Amino acid sequence: MAMTALDHEGIRQLLARYSLALDFGDTATLAACFAPEGRFDETGLPPEPSESQRFEGRPSIAAFAARFYEHTRGTVRHWASQPVVEGDGRDATGVAFLMVLRPGTAPRTGVVLTGVYRDRYTKIDDRWHFAAREFTADPQPGDRETAPADPLVNRFDDFVAGRPYTGEPDE
């Protein structure tokens, strides 16, 4: 069976419920976004970008979400792109970009983190859930062995890191 427009909309609603629940500390809703045996993996997050973490099953995922909210207290927003979704109406895969934003007004607002979600979805009782969600953070400017050759990239990295722009040309 092919994916229908309702399947695509169901997956979009799943993605929205996930982000809202994570950012507002609704651990029960977040855990319910996953299949009972679902898993969430994250890789590349500071301070140890080479390490990954895995959370399997709804109780483990709910505990992850509670710890996340304990640290952020609603001070970040997960903003994902529209996913590219392919599937058969029962199971599907999706890929989307993610930006984690610090809301507010400049200069205290901005992009905290970017990365990629790779998802496997499954339909249970006519509702879409994550069978697996994998997040891989993009490399951070401090993780680079050498600075980019493009001075505009260096200035942007300085801006994101909160370093003042001096107007002096880059060496």
Side-chain angles (χ1 to χ4, degrees):
M1 181 165 91
M3 296 280 291
T4 67
L6 287 175
D7 289 324
H8 285 276
E9 181 58 23
I11 289 171
R12 281 192 289 273
Q13 291 297 313
L14 168 67
L15 300 174
R17 276 193 312 277
Y18 171 91
S19 292
L20 289 169
L22 184 59
D23 292 343
F24 293 134
D26 185 349
T27 59
T29 296
L30 187 120
C33 288
F34 287 81
E37 308 81 29
R39 75 167 205 272
F40 174 65
D41 296 307
E42 58 182 20
T43 303
L45 294 175
E48 296 297 331
S50 63
E51 293 183 13
S52 3
Q53 293 189 76
R54 173 171 282 184
F55 307 94
E56 294 186 75
R58 287 178 175 167
S60 177
I61 292 166
F64 153 77
R67 283 191 305 277
F68 178 85
Y69 188 75
E70 186 178 304
H71 292 290
T72 63
R73 294 284 178 202
T75 61
V76 296
R77 300 289 183 266
H78 285 71
W79 198 270
S81 69
Q82 290 293 320
V84 174
V85 175
E86 296 176 347
D88 63 11
R90 281 307 295 156
D91 296 292
T93 60
V95 177
F97 292 116
L98 173 70
M99 285 191 302
V100 178
L101 305 172
R102 184 181 312 111
T105 57
R108 294 190 180 355
T109 189
V111 177
V112 175
L113 183 73
T114 60
V116 177
Y117 280 127
R118 287 178 176 78
D119 298 325
R120 284 190 306 110
Y121 314 106
T122 189
K123 195 188 279 187
I124 302 169
D125 297 329
D126 291 323
R127 190 166 185 165
W128 287 97
H129 297 80
F130 294 109
R133 173 154 252 213
E134 299 174 4
F135 174 71
T136 303
D138 292 329
Q140 303 301 301
D143 296 338
R144 297 184 186 133
E145 292 183 18
T146 60
D150 184 342
L152 184 59
V153 171
N154 290 329
R155 287 188 181 140
F156 181 76
D157 288 348
D158 286 344
F159 172 76
V160 169
R163 294 184 290 267
Y165 173 64
T166 63
E168 298 295 319
D170 292 339
E171 300 286 326

